[in-house]
Amino acid sequence: MNRKILTLAAAFSVLAMFRPLAGDYKFFSPKGSFAVEVSLENTYRLRLPIYRNAITSLTCIGDHAIGGTRANEGLSPFLFAVSLTSRSLEVVHDLAEVLPDQRAIQSGFGRGGTVLYAGTMPDKEGASGHLIKVRFANKKIEVTDLGEPVNGEGIFAITADSRLNMLYGIAHPSGRFFTYNIQSGKVQVYDETAATQRQLGYYHSYALEPEDFLSRALVVDKSGRVYGSRPVNSVFRFNPQSGKIETLKDELPIVWGRRSLGRVDSWAVAPDGTLYGGNAGDGQLFKIDPVTGRLTNLGKPIMMPRLVGLAFGCDGKLYGVAGALPGYAHLFVYDPNDSGFTDLGNPRFPLYAPEIGGELPWRGFQIATVTASEDGCYIFMGEDESLSQLMVFPVK
Amino acid sequence: MYRTVLGACIFMVLLVLGAGYHPAGAEITRKNIRFEEYPDFPDAHSSWGSIGYSKTHKKVYIGVTNHRDKVGFFEYDIKRRKMRLHGFLPELSNLREFQWQGKMHSQVVEGPDGCMYFSTDGGETRMLYLMNHPRGYGGSFFYRWDPVAERLDNIGMGPRFDSLKDMMIDRKSGKILATTFPQVHLLLYDPQKNDLRDLGRVGSTHVPRVLFNDRYGNVYYVDWRQRLVKYEHDTEKLLFAKESLPFFKGTPPYSIITGITAWAEDQEKGMIYLITYGSKMIAYYPTRLGFGNCEDLGGIYDSDQKQPYDYYCPNLALGDNGLLYYFIGGHGNYVDGVEQNVLMEFDPEKKTKRMVLSFPLKEINEVTGANVKDEEGNIYFCGRRRDPRAEMMGESGASRPFMVIFNPEREIGE
Amino acid sequence: MNHPHGYQGGYIFKWDPAKERLTNLGLGLKYDSIKDIALDRVGGLIYGVSYPQVHFLLWDPGNNIFRDLGRVGSDHVPRCIFSDRWGNGYYVDWRQRLVKYERDSGQLLFSRDSIPAFPGTPAGRIITGVPTYAKDSENGVIYLITYGNMVCAFRPQRRGIGSVEALGATYDMETLPPRGYSPNSGFANNGKLYYFIGGHGQYVVSDTTLLMEFDPLTREKQIVLRFPVDVVSEVTGCDVKDDRGNLYFAGRRRSLQAENMGESGASRPFMIIFNPTREIAP
């Protein structure tokens, strides 16, 4: 009897050890979630090395998540593919093999059928970023250099419209908008979205650099118009039919006194065509009705700035990641038809490490990208760390 | 003949001995003033009343900023006529980037322990709004400089996100009174016990920039009605004067709410001179308990061209000759419609004033600093000169900083 | 975090025993704690790890240089950083592999292999890494005890990682890894390793903390002393020894009076002095 009691007591003691200390929270760990070890320095296994793996571009083709990374200064980024079925990193492609002297693929991917397009950021200031075509087939990544759309500038954001065979991008550091005809290779650059000298002075007084105020993402609506943000705190819309750029009447949502921080951090298009966006400055979610052009502030999911990623799940809900350094990520879900936000908290998924013989509990702190599988049944999140992993959870 | 020669000799000896000496009221020339540059800080932009004198060590201390995120701490050795940079606050006190400080705005005050005390300021517009944003301003610090050990100690923060615009020491206890920006809270800090008390908000839209103290250990500030607020050393209580400090009829309320911009003490007489943002010169006679008398000495500048309350003067000192000296001009506000900065002399006995020198803005465009004087009667100010090369270096105009040394009674120029 | 009651972040401090003066050397990452530090006694660098984001941090206090070398773990922050005679700094990654900041090259190196673990050691223990170390300075060995209760001998080298040898369990049990928790160790002048087992609800003998002696040469171990938890409930501290061979630890004892005083159980703290070769009790 005594032994039983002691055994029970010991068991409770051990259980108590794993209980969050005085925590009134639990991590977001839905059944079926997992993390894939994409990065690991010094290993026999296929992994990305340290300081070259922040997952700054992410999309999904069939069973595979395709990622593009950002490296530290002087290092080159990778493209990689992770299989959803095998839950492992299957393909790695060092961009430097095709295109040296580039530091990051942070533009996001534009998609034309099974082909992906991205832009690169050069390693050296004043050098040019390139457009690249990425083909993933037969467990192989092929990269084709499409050249420099804007001489002396990197490519900060990109999107594609496969119907028009067009790519659209934001150049860094100017913020100029450009179009690229995939078929002809013709580039057109628009100055309207660039920061003026006066605006640069304004940003300077807030110690903000182009990385802080340029539109981090672009999106195409159902009628082919392209949206992004432009200085200061405004949303522009490019009409490919007219070749004209207009600035929407409504600005991005602001917190008083912090207008300088406003810029688009992420986009997602709802099944009904409504555009949902995240404002980096104070982490507000907003939506734009493409018909009226009106912007609605939906509020802040959490207390921190940044709203780095958005993706619609097959349940019709919008999943997003808010918060970044000096804090860390919260996953949230927004139901357009229901009660608004739910803060799902910090994600913790099991990460399988073969040599360990078990599943390591993996928390995502800094997350740079969010995307959904093609059927919307899985949401993928790319970490933004010195050693970054891919985190995946199913949408119920 | 002999007597004439002797007299001439005596005259010559006196002349040699007294070379450069001007009796009170004598002509003041450019030779009475000298500028000292700040070495090893090529992107220096300005300084903001952040100057103070160590009686113990005969040195002047100045905080100089690039008006962005770098504050240099300088020491001027009076005897050796040597200005040197001790270092920059982030390095001297191990600040991280997210603890950036835009300025030192406070006076540098000698404590009863012989150490110099000062505080820091966000100093830029972004400090007002960004707060908890990664680029936001976390709050300001109190510092103590030990001139013997040549060591800077960070002695703690004020309120989170607020700046400390000025601070002053209770000369007897060593406690610090300080005012925050933008919330205008008066703080009482005992660094010995790490006891920080928020005495509450005493202003609103504009934060008066100056605190001052008296010989009894009392420390003063002003409330939104420009009434003196006194931290009474003996009772450790906060007292509010019933009446506002004098102001000209028609002085705009925003000038009233801005309070006092400079002060200077007549230690012999135990009285304090004040200049208000409404351009009044006031004599205040402090008492150990309660408030003493205030005497309206008139305006700081007389002209038909402007209202008497419309002159900008964030500096003041009392010469050994018993006359007050101050520079008028700055922040786009200059006398007689001319872009000049003028050095004024004010006789508090006679309530008369005169312009003694005028400087184009490329020489002096603004002067700050109050009550900084050494035993030889040299008065020290923080100067700025307009300099287009300094554009884009910060807010508050393009400028370069330097130190002004002025002695109304002696030639000190190079 | 940014709540009015939030935590601003952990500081590095320097205590000057000669002047009896504490100097604040500055913060690490905003909002993150600093769970442990180690000193480079050659060049004056300080190594640290942040919590909860597990960033390996590097300070050069002489030059006020602070470098974030990036995240090296995830769900659990291994609590122990240590350094070697050359001033290199060591930590472990999420696979319990040694991570070394190599002073000479200024680079972060990762061991290819994990520090040994018993088969079946739960991954949740692997990710918790090494909670304690003790140095045998004469022989150039650093003894490590893992959260999986494996005693290891690490032989550092100036460049590269060095070798790690498994010496066995902290406590012999039929099923390995053994139970227990040892966030402490000291290497005595008699060439033996001493550590206490117990704490955080993990005891090999119910409500009893054991003081163990481990002979690295023979790999034999024995219980030296037993303490009920109201005498010693948990012991921390590693590699603290004076010139007379006294080992020092931070002790806790269970104390119901201390309830509601904080997290991590009700306890009172005290210091333990232990000398395996001399009587020191009054």
Side-chain angles (χ1 to χ4, degrees):
Chain A
M1 177 65 187
N2 276 347
R3 270 184 76 175
K4 272 187 178 177
I5 291 170
L6 281 174
T7 309
L8 270 173
F12 279 122
S13 297
V14 172
L15 282 173
M17 185 185 79
F18 293 107
R19 180 170 54 88
L21 287 173
D24 59 352
Y25 62 91
K26 58 181 180 181
F27 295 107
F28 178 70
S29 307
K31 194 176 174 189
S33 61
F34 59 94
V36 178
E37 192 178 57
V38 170
S39 306
L40 184 70
E41 176 73 2
N42 191 21
T43 176
Y44 296 106
R45 294 197 172 268
L46 183 68
R47 297 288 187 271
L48 303 181
I50 193 166
Y51 302 139
R52 298 175 64 186
N53 54 66
I55 304 170
T56 44
S57 294
L58 188 63
T59 192
C60 210
I61 297 181
D63 180 54
H64 287 85
I66 311 295
T69 72
R70 186 190 61 234
N72 282 10
E73 187 178 353
L75 301 173
S76 62
F78 289 94
L79 290 144
F80 67 84
V82 165
S83 164
L84 192 55
T85 303
S86 71
R87 299 184 175 186
S88 64
L89 179 69
E90 290 194 337
V91 188
V92 163
H93 184 98
D94 185 346
L95 185 71
E97 291 172 11
V98 177
L99 196 56
D101 303 322
Q102 303 297 311
R103 194 189 299 174
I105 305 162
Q106 66 176 57
S107 61
F109 290 111
R111 189 166 173 179
T114 58
V115 175
L116 301 176
Y117 297 92
T120 65
M121 292 285 284
D123 187 43
K124 298 270 187 304
E125 196 178 324
S128 301
H130 289 238
L131 283 171
I132 54 173
K133 183 165 79 174
V134 180
R135 192 183 292 277
F136 174 68
N138 303 319
K139 295 195 174 181
K140 200 174 167 195
I141 290 175
E142 280 179 19
V143 177
T144 309
D145 179 11
L146 301 179
E148 310 168 5
V150 185
N151 188 257
E153 298 217 51
I155 300 170
F156 199 70
I158 204 172
T159 191
D161 187 343
S162 57
R163 295 164 297 184
L164 299 177
N165 230 4
M166 293 294 289
L167 298 180
Y168 305 105
I170 294 285
H172 173 278
S174 72
R176 288 187 288 173
F177 177 75
F178 66 87
T179 62
Y180 176 87
N181 187 304
I182 295 170
Q183 202 140 28
S184 67
K186 186 187 170 192
V187 175
Q188 189 141 3
V189 182
Y190 298 79
D191 293 335
E192 291 97 312
T193 57
T196 63
Q197 278 304 312
R198 189 186 168 88
Q199 287 166 337
L200 288 174
Y202 172 74
Y203 284 125
H204 181 78
S205 68
Y206 284 90
L208 298 173
E209 303 292 334
E211 289 74 20
D212 303 308
F213 61 75
L214 294 186
S215 187
R216 190 169 164 265
L218 295 169
V219 73
V220 180
D221 72 14
K222 286 192 170 176
S223 60
R225 292 173 299 183
V226 187
Y227 297 72
S229 62
R230 53 159 294 185
V232 171
N233 202 47
S234 297
V235 178
F236 75 85
R237 177 161 64 182
F238 173 73
N239 187 331
Q241 305 302 326
S242 64
K244 291 274 192 311
I245 289 175
E246 65 171 318
T247 299
L248 298 191
K249 190 176 163 190
D250 298 327
E251 285 198 6
L252 292 169
I254 61 164
V255 167
W256 178 78
R258 293 157 72 119
R259 181 171 171 263
S260 59
L261 303 172
R263 56 121 169 206
V264 168
D265 218 1
S266 53
W267 288 111
V269 185
D272 68 358
T274 303
L275 307 178
Y276 285 83
N279 181 8
D282 270 295
Q284 303 98 328
L285 183 71
F286 62 89
K287 66 176 180 180
I288 293 176
D289 180 338
V291 177
T292 64
R294 294 309 303 262
L295 186 150
T296 306
N297 179 6
L298 299 173
K300 277 170 63 67
I302 66 162
M303 64 179 180
M304 285 182 284
R306 301 301 301 267
L307 208 155
V308 295
L310 289 168
F312 271 95
C314 58
D315 56 359
K317 294 176 184 171
L318 181 63
Y319 292 85
V321 166
L325 283 172
Y328 49 82
H330 290 222
L331 184 68
F332 72 89
V333 61
Y334 176 78
D335 187 344
N337 304 312
D338 193 13
S339 52
F341 301 112
T342 302
D343 182 350
L344 300 173
N346 189 225
R348 179 167 75 176
F349 303 163
L351 177 143
Y352 179 63
E355 290 79 3
I356 302 301
E359 290 181 329
L360 297 163
W362 195 262
R363 281 181 75 183
F365 291 112
Q366 302 304 322
I367 288 172
T369 41
V370 178
T371 195
S373 58
E374 287 177 320
D375 60 6
C377 290
Y378 286 89
I379 302 292
F380 296 76
M381 299 181 288
E383 289 188 327
D384 184 2
E385 303 274 8
S386 54
L387 290 156
S388 310
Q389 321 301 1
L390 187 71
M391 302 185 74
V392 188
F393 67 94
V395 176
K396 285 176 184 167
Chain B
M1 175 66 185
Y2 175 77
R3 287 176 68 179
T4 310
V5 171
L6 181 65
C9 289
I10 292 169
F11 175 75
M12 289 301 288
V13 168
L14 286 173
L15 196 66
V16 169
L17 287 175
Y21 176 77
H22 294 287
E27 187 187 4
I28 291 171
T29 71
R30 292 287 186 114
K31 290 183 178 175
N32 293 75
I33 199 161
R34 195 169 83 235
F35 300 155
E36 289 286 344
E37 303 295 324
Y38 301 117
D40 306 320
F41 193 1
D43 53 339
H45 174 279
S46 51
S47 41
W48 298 80
S50 47
I51 184 168
Y53 175 61
S54 164
K55 277 186 183 168
T56 312
H57 301 281
K58 316 295 181 215
K59 287 171 179 170
V60 179
Y61 293 94
I62 317 101
V64 180
T65 178
N66 68 350
H67 212 301
R68 189 158 190 81
D69 53 11
K70 199 172 175 186
V71 180
F73 186 65
F74 287 86
E75 176 187 280
Y76 181 70
D77 186 326
I78 293 167
K79 195 174 170 187
R80 296 172 57 219
R81 284 192 169 198
K82 180 86 176 166
M83 180 76 80
R84 72 169 166 141
L85 173 67
H86 276 300
F88 297 98
L89 296 190
E91 284 72 35
L92 291 172
S93 61
N94 303 103
L95 300 185
R96 302 277 83 86
E97 278 182 21
F98 57 81
Q99 294 174 296
W100 60 269
Q101 302 296 327
K103 284 179 193 166
M104 273 169 67
H105 204 293
S106 79
Q107 300 169 74
V108 183
V109 189
E110 187 172 30
D113 57 357
C115 290
M116 304 302 290
Y117 292 80
F118 61 90
S119 58
T120 58
D121 173 27
E124 293 235 316
T125 307
R126 61 190 161 127
M127 70 81 42
L128 284 165
Y129 309 111
L130 299 192
M131 296 188 175
N132 61 335
H133 186 270
R135 294 283 164 90
Y137 180 64
S140 47
F141 296 94
F142 292 102
Y143 281 99
R144 176 178 57 215
W145 173 258
D146 182 338
V148 178
E150 295 200 338
R151 186 186 59 235
L152 188 70
D153 288 325
N154 176 342
I155 56 172
M157 293 189 79
R160 212 160 155 189
F161 304 138
D162 260 33
S163 288
L164 293 169
K165 274 293 177 196
D166 196 20
M167 54 147 282
M168 187 47 64
I169 283 196
D170 168 344
R171 296 180 199 177
K172 294 197 166 178
S173 70
K175 288 181 184 173
I176 295 170
L177 264 288
T179 185
T180 76
F181 174 90
Q183 298 196 60
V184 213
H185 280 231
L186 202 51
L187 307 178
L188 175 64
Y189 181 42
D190 183 347
Q192 303 274 347
K193 297 176 181 168
N194 191 36
D195 180 12
L196 178 71
R197 282 174 57 199
D198 182 351
L199 303 180
R201 189 185 71 163
V202 295
S204 182
T205 291
H206 202 282
V207 181
R209 298 295 201 259
V210 172
L211 288 97
F212 60 95
N213 58 11
D214 68 20
R215 62 171 84 172
Y216 308 108
N218 303 309
V219 181
Y220 299 86
Y221 193 51
V222 283
D223 72 1
W224 64 92
R225 287 171 166 247
Q226 202 176 272
R227 304 183 316 165
L228 282 175
V229 179
K230 176 181 184 179
Y231 169 74
E232 196 169 73
H233 168 86
D234 286 5
T235 60
E236 297 186 345
K237 283 184 176 171
L238 212 56
L239 310 180
F240 288 75
K242 198 161 273 182
E243 307 295 336
S244 300
L245 291 171
F247 54 87
F248 288 106
K249 192 178 176 187
T251 302
Y254 70 80
S255 287
I256 302 279
I257 205 170
T258 307
I260 294 165
T261 53
W263 70 291
E265 185 180 20
D266 184 337
Q267 290 188 348
E268 276 182 22
K269 295 178 181 169
M271 58 182 293
I272 291 162
Y273 296 99
L274 308 172
I275 290 178
T276 68
Y277 197 67
S279 311
K280 270 279 184 199
M281 183 73 78
I282 296 163
Y284 173 62
Y285 299 85
T287 51
R288 184 180 191 113
L289 296 174
F291 289 99
N293 292 328
C294 277
E295 183 185 358
D296 183 350
L297 301 181
I300 59 171
Y301 194 80
D302 296 328
S303 169
D304 295 336
Q305 295 186 25
K306 280 172 81 171
Q307 296 290 347
Y309 49 74
D310 195 17
Y311 298 97
Y312 182 58
C313 180
N315 64 82
L316 182 65
L318 181 74
D320 278 353
N321 57 6
L323 304 178
L324 290 160
Y325 292 91
Y326 50 93
F327 293 81
I328 301 180
H331 276 57
N333 188 343
Y334 303 101
V335 302
D336 298 335
V338 179
E339 288 203 331
Q340 60 175 340
N341 203 295
V342 297
L343 172 60
M344 300 292 295
E345 180 182 83
F346 193 104
D347 185 334
E349 297 285 330
K350 299 174 186 166
K351 301 183 184 177
T352 58
K353 70 205 74 129
R354 68 177 181 120
M355 183 195 299
V356 290
L357 290 171
S358 169
F359 301 88
L361 301 188
K362 65 180 181 184
E363 281 189 62
I364 299 179
N365 72 343
E366 188 168 307
V367 176
T368 56
N371 198 41
V372 184
K373 187 172 70 170
D374 67 20
E375 279 77 2
E376 294 181 14
N378 297 311
I379 297 167
Y380 300 85
F381 296 101
C382 300
R384 296 170 69 186
R385 65 174 69 96
R386 183 181 286 177
D387 184 348
R389 287 173 299 179
E391 273 182 13
M392 296 296 292
M393 287 183 61
E395 296 179 355
S396 296
S399 73
R400 295 285 184 187
F402 56 94
M403 189 175 75
V404 179
I405 312 176
F406 169 65
N407 193 317
E409 299 181 292
R410 286 174 49 211
E411 291 181 353
I412 56 168
E414 298 297 344
Chain C
M1 297 185 178
N2 61 339
H3 185 272
H5 295 174
Y7 178 66
Q8 279 293 284
Y11 289 88
I12 296 280
F13 284 98
K14 176 176 78 177
W15 173 255
D16 182 339
K19 294 177 182 164
E20 296 202 335
R21 181 176 183 83
L22 189 72
T23 304
N24 176 352
L25 299 181
L27 280 158
L29 297 178
K30 203 168 174 180
Y31 302 143
D32 261 33
S33 296
I34 300 168
K35 272 294 178 197
D36 196 21
I37 65 158
L39 289 185
D40 153 20
R41 299 184 77 168
V42 178
L45 300 177
I46 301 173
Y47 306 104
V49 63
S50 83
Y51 173 92
Q53 297 199 61
V54 212
H55 281 229
F56 195 111
L57 309 176
L58 179 68
W59 287 264
D60 176 356
N63 298 304
N64 195 37
I65 293 171
F66 169 66
R67 284 178 62 199
D68 177 1
L69 300 176
R71 186 187 67 166
V72 294
S74 181
D75 184 62
H76 201 282
V77 182
R79 297 295 201 260
C80 190
I81 287 194
F82 55 95
S83 58
D84 65 19
R85 67 175 78 174
W86 297 283
N88 300 307
Y90 297 88
Y91 192 52
V92 285
D93 73 1
W94 61 91
R95 285 171 167 243
Q96 201 174 274
R97 307 183 317 161
L98 279 172
V99 179
K100 173 180 183 176
Y101 179 79
E102 193 175 72
R103 255 193 90 253
D104 288 354
S105 64
Q107 288 190 335
L108 216 53
L109 308 182
F110 287 71
S111 173
R112 189 156 281 191
D113 300 310
S114 301
I115 292 173
F118 294 104
T121 302
R125 283 186 171 268
I126 299 284
I127 202 169
T128 307
V130 175
T132 184
Y133 73 97
K135 291 177 184 173
D136 174 357
S137 299
E138 272 183 30
N139 294 305
V141 178
I142 300 174
Y143 294 100
L144 311 174
I145 297 177
T146 68
Y147 197 62
N149 294 322
M150 177 76 91
V151 182
C152 300
F154 169 53
R155 293 178 177 81
Q157 53 195 44
R158 180 171 182 143
R159 286 182 172 257
I161 296 280
S163 64
V164 181
E165 181 188 3
L167 300 181
T170 52
Y171 187 83
D172 289 326
M173 300 182 92
E174 281 183 19
T175 309
L176 295 175
R179 293 195 306 273
Y181 176 50
S182 297
N184 64 82
S185 56
F187 185 77
N189 284 352
N190 61 5
K192 292 175 182 165
L193 191 65
Y194 292 89
Y195 50 89
F196 294 80
I197 301 179
H200 274 60
Q202 301 177 75
Y203 298 93
V204 292
V205 178
S206 176
D207 278 354
T208 305
T209 296
L210 306 179
L211 172 58
M212 301 293 296
E213 179 183 87
F214 189 101
D215 186 335
L217 294 180
T218 63
R219 302 187 183 188
E220 286 178 356
K221 65 200 72 113
Q222 61 166 325
I223 299 172
V224 178
L225 290 169
R226 296 164 186 261
F227 301 93
V229 290
D230 58 357
V231 178
V232 178
S233 63
E234 186 171 309
V235 177
T236 54
C238 47
D239 199 37
V240 185
K241 186 170 70 171
D242 68 17
D243 296 340
R244 305 181 73 188
N246 296 312
L247 303 175
Y248 298 84
F249 298 97
R252 296 170 70 186
R253 65 174 68 97
R254 186 179 288 175
S255 169
L256 298 179
Q257 295 158 301
E259 270 185 12
N260 289 317
M261 287 185 65
E263 297 176 357
S264 296
S267 74
R268 296 285 185 190
F270 56 95
M271 189 175 76
I272 298 172
I273 312 174
F274 167 63
N275 193 317
T277 56
R278 285 175 47 217
E279 289 184 356
I280 56 169

